[in-house]
Amino acid sequence: MEWFDPTLNVQYLHPSEITSGMRWAREVEKPIGPGGAMKPCTELTPVWDVSLGASGGYYGTRYLFRLSTGELRTAQSNDRVPIDPEIIPGNRAPHNGTWITNEPFGFHDHKPGVTPDRHWYENSKQVEKWVAKDGRVYRLLTHRYRMFWVCRWDNGAKWLGPTRETFELAGQQLDAIVEGRGW
C-alpha cells in the first residue's frame, strides 16, 4: 500500500520528467479535531522552478526543485519522485524565467542561530529599484557587511533572493529580472 491518498493521481517519476506546474506529493500530519489527534494525509505542492545542481557524487545528476512555498527539494538521477503530473494552469509559476526571488520573507526566522530576515532588511539600504508593469517592485539591497540581494514586493508579499558577495553578482540578477529572464 502506498503512503499517498490512492484517489490522487500521484505517480513516481524520474526527476528529468518533472516540469513547472506539476505537484510534489508529501505525507503530512493534519489535526482531525480538538485534543491534538493527528491524521496522515497527502499534500500536493506546485513545482515552480526546476534546475540542475552540483553532482551528488556517485549518484548521477542532481535535480533541484523549488516549490511554490519557496522550499527547495532535491532528487538524484537514480531517484523516483512522487508527483501529480497533471498540469493545472493555476499551479504554474506566475511569471516566466528563472525564479530568483524565491524565499518568502521570514523563511529563515525559525532556524536556530540564524539572524532573522527582518534584521537584514531593516539594516539595509536600497541601491537600485525597478517596478514591473504589473506592479511588482524589485529592490537591490546592500547590508553594512557588504552583502547584496534582490527583494521582490508582490501584492503585499515580500520575497528575497539569495545573498551575493558582490554588487556585480546581485546586479546580474536584477538585470535578468528587468530583461524578462527572471522574476
Side-chain angles (χ1 to χ4, degrees):
M1 181 174 171
E2 299 291 347
W3 59 267
F4 49 81
D5 183 341
T7 62
L8 299 173
N9 184 29
V10 175
Q11 302 169 21
Y12 285 98
L13 298 180
H14 187 273
S16 65
E17 299 174 301
I18 301 170
T19 62
S20 177
M22 294 182 178
R23 294 180 295 168
W24 191 285
R26 60 184 168 178
E27 186 176 32
V28 297
E29 297 282 325
K30 299 259 178 157
I32 58 173
M38 303 292 273
K39 172 184 172 186
C41 63
T42 305
E43 181 176 85
L44 300 173
T45 308
V47 174
W48 276 4
D49 194 45
V50 181
S51 59
L52 295 176
S55 174
Y58 300 109
Y59 303 109
T61 305
R62 183 176 181 202
Y63 295 85
L64 305 174
F65 303 96
R66 184 70 68 170
L67 305 183
S68 63
T69 57
E71 180 182 5
L72 182 66
R73 293 287 179 124
T74 64
Q76 299 295 136
S77 58
N78 62 342
D79 290 339
R80 296 297 175 267
V81 181
I83 293 286
D84 177 354
E86 182 181 5
I87 297 177
I88 300 168
N91 290 334
R92 288 194 177 275
H95 308 288
N96 294 325
T98 303
W99 191 16
I100 296 168
T101 53
N102 54 26
E103 295 178 349
F105 190 77
F107 190 67
H108 302 99
D109 293 355
H110 69 282
K111 298 177 181 175
V114 174
T115 306
D117 290 343
R118 181 164 301 288
H119 167 81
W120 295 110
Y121 175 72
E122 291 175 352
N123 291 289
S124 297
K125 67 179 183 175
Q126 178 177 296
V127 178
E128 289 186 42
K129 177 181 175 181
W130 181 74
V131 180
K133 291 178 184 176
D134 62 4
R136 287 173 286 144
V137 178
Y138 292 90
R139 291 181 170 92
L140 176 56
L141 302 176
T142 183
H143 190 271
R144 65 179 176 242
Y145 296 135
R146 303 296 297 161
M147 294 185 311
F148 303 87
W149 63 95
V150 179
C151 298
R152 170 173 48 102
W153 279 252
D154 194 352
N155 296 317
K158 291 180 191 168
W159 292 78
L160 309 175
T163 58
R164 297 291 179 228
E165 293 180 3
T166 67
F167 173 76
E168 290 76 23
L169 291 173
Q172 289 172 3
Q173 291 179 323
L174 184 61
D175 290 345
I177 291 168
V178 171
E179 294 167 5
R181 295 181 286 117
W183 58 286

